[in-house]
Amino acid sequence: MNSRKIDRRNFLKTSALLGGSSVLAACSKRLETLTNPEYAGEEYQLDQPENIIYSTCLNCHVACPMKAKLYEGVLIKIDGNPYSPQNLLYHIPYETSPLHAAYIDGKICVKGQVGIQTHYDPYRLRRVLKRSGSRGSNQWKSIPFSQFIKEVVEGGKLFADIGEEREVPGFKDVYKLKDPNLAKSMAKDVGRIKKKEMTVDDFKDKYGEHLGVLIDPDHPDLGPVN
C-alpha cells in the first residue's frame, strides 16, 4: 500500500498542471493555424511586402528604424527594420529587395511596440497647435502646417496677437553658413591648420569677413554655428 498521502496543496498543484496542459493542448492546434499558412489555407498577410511600411519609431530619442505591418489597412504589428544595424546585427545588405526583406524582422523594444496604441490614441494630436494665451494658460489654437513651417524658419514676433512683443529667433538665424563654396574652402583650410600648414591667425585674416559664422574664430576646427 502506498504510504504517500495526497494533501490539499498537492491535489491543487496537480489539478492545475493537468488542467493547464489540457487547455494548452486544445489551443496548440488553433495557434498553429493562426501562425502557419500551411494550416491556415491562405498566405500569411504580415510578411507580404505590400502590407509593410518602413518608417521610424519616435517613442524615444533613439529613433529606431522600424517596419509597420498592416492587415486590411490596420496597423497591428511593429518590428525592427532589418536594414538597420540598430535593429539587427548583422543587418541585411541595403541592396536586398523588399520582397525578401519582408520575411526578416529586426528587434524593437517594448516602447516601440506601443506605437500601435500611440497611433490610434483618440487624444493624439493631429493638427499643429500654437499657444493663444499666456504661458501656462493652456490656451491653444490650430494653425495650418504651412504657417508652422514659415514661423519656425523665419521667426519674428510670433505672439504679437496676444500682446507679446518679443522676437523669437527662427532657424534662418541659427543657420549661418549658407554658401557651399565658402564652407568647403573653410573646411579645407581647417585641415591645413591641423597639418600645421596654416596658422589660426592666417585663417582669421583670410576669412575676416566671415568669422561670424564660426562657433569660435580662435578654434575654427569647432566648425560653424549651424
Side-chain angles (χ1 to χ4, degrees), residues 93-111:
Y94 292 128
E95 61 269 17
T96 303
S97 168
L99 296 175
H100 299 294
Y103 296 97
I104 306 171
D105 294 333
K107 66 175 179 63
I108 198 163
C109 74
V110 176
K111 187 177 289 187

Side-chain angles (χ1 to χ4, degrees), residues 210-222:
H210 307 289
L211 295 179
V213 304
L214 297 175
I215 294 175
D216 184 350
D218 292 326
H219 293 279
D221 56 307
L222 296 179

Side-chain angles (χ1 to χ4, degrees), residues 185-196:
S185 178
M186 296 180 84
K188 182 178 180 180
D189 285 340
V190 167
R192 295 180 60 198
I193 293 175
K194 293 180 179 178
K195 295 178 182 178
K196 300 187 183 302

